Amino acid sequence: MQVCIMKPLLENDKLVCAHQGIVQLKSDKGKDLLVDDNGVITESDLMNSPISGCSHNILGVPKPCTKIVQIPPNALSETLEVNGERVVLEDMVSMIMTDNGVPLQLQGSQEKSLELDK
């Protein structure tokens, strides 16, 4: 038996854009799988999630990041699905892009992991 350890993105994690805008995480499809009492974030939970407080501007004109627009397949678990949706992996959030083409950052990663028997 092989054990697979992964770190799913959870709804209490803090994701920000490069300009410190905060991604509003809400587990909908992933709420049926809890890790430390928090729902996991699936692809559809994260896609189009709003971003608030982004300070990005171009030549003094505000152009804030407003939502998530791209989640590459390798940012999603190959083995873990909830309600038919693949789970977003914490270690891969820097590959996920905002509508300004800016990668995300995870702030204050918490100690967590999910062990699965393969």
Side-chain angles (χ1 to χ4, degrees):
M1 175 175 49
Q2 182 182 11
V3 175
C4 176
I5 298 176
M6 63 180 64
K7 292 182 177 181
L9 188 64
L10 303 178
E11 63 185 341
N12 72 331
D13 283 325
K14 185 175 181 183
L15 285 184
V16 296
C17 68
H19 322 103
Q20 300 307 302
I22 299 171
V23 178
Q24 307 302 309
L25 294 175
K26 183 175 183 317
S27 179
D28 183 29
K29 293 275 189 177
K31 67 184 175 193
D32 290 337
L33 177 61
L34 300 178
V35 176
D36 298 329
D37 295 324
N38 293 285
V40 298
I41 300 296
T42 65
E43 181 177 19
S44 68
D45 290 339
L46 187 58
M47 186 60 83
N48 295 313
S49 288
I51 300 171
S52 61
C54 176
S55 62
H56 181 56
N57 71 69
I58 298 174
L59 299 172
V61 177
K63 182 153 177 25
C65 298
T66 62
K67 64 182 178 178
I68 304 301
V69 296
Q70 183 180 20
I71 304 171
N74 53 348
L76 304 170
S77 173
E78 293 286 331
T79 57
L80 184 60
E81 289 187 1
V82 181
N83 294 319
E85 293 272 338
R86 291 172 59 191
V87 171
V88 179
L89 298 174
E90 175 185 288
D91 296 340
M92 306 303 270
V93 297
S94 64
M95 302 175 79
I96 299 168
M97 299 293 168
T98 72
D99 52 348
N100 278 331
V102 175
L104 297 181
Q105 302 167 358
L106 180 67
Q107 287 190 340
S109 178
Q110 303 165 30
E111 199 56 42
K112 64 178 173 215
S113 65
L114 186 60
E115 293 185 22
L116 302 173
D117 294 335
K118 281 181 88 173

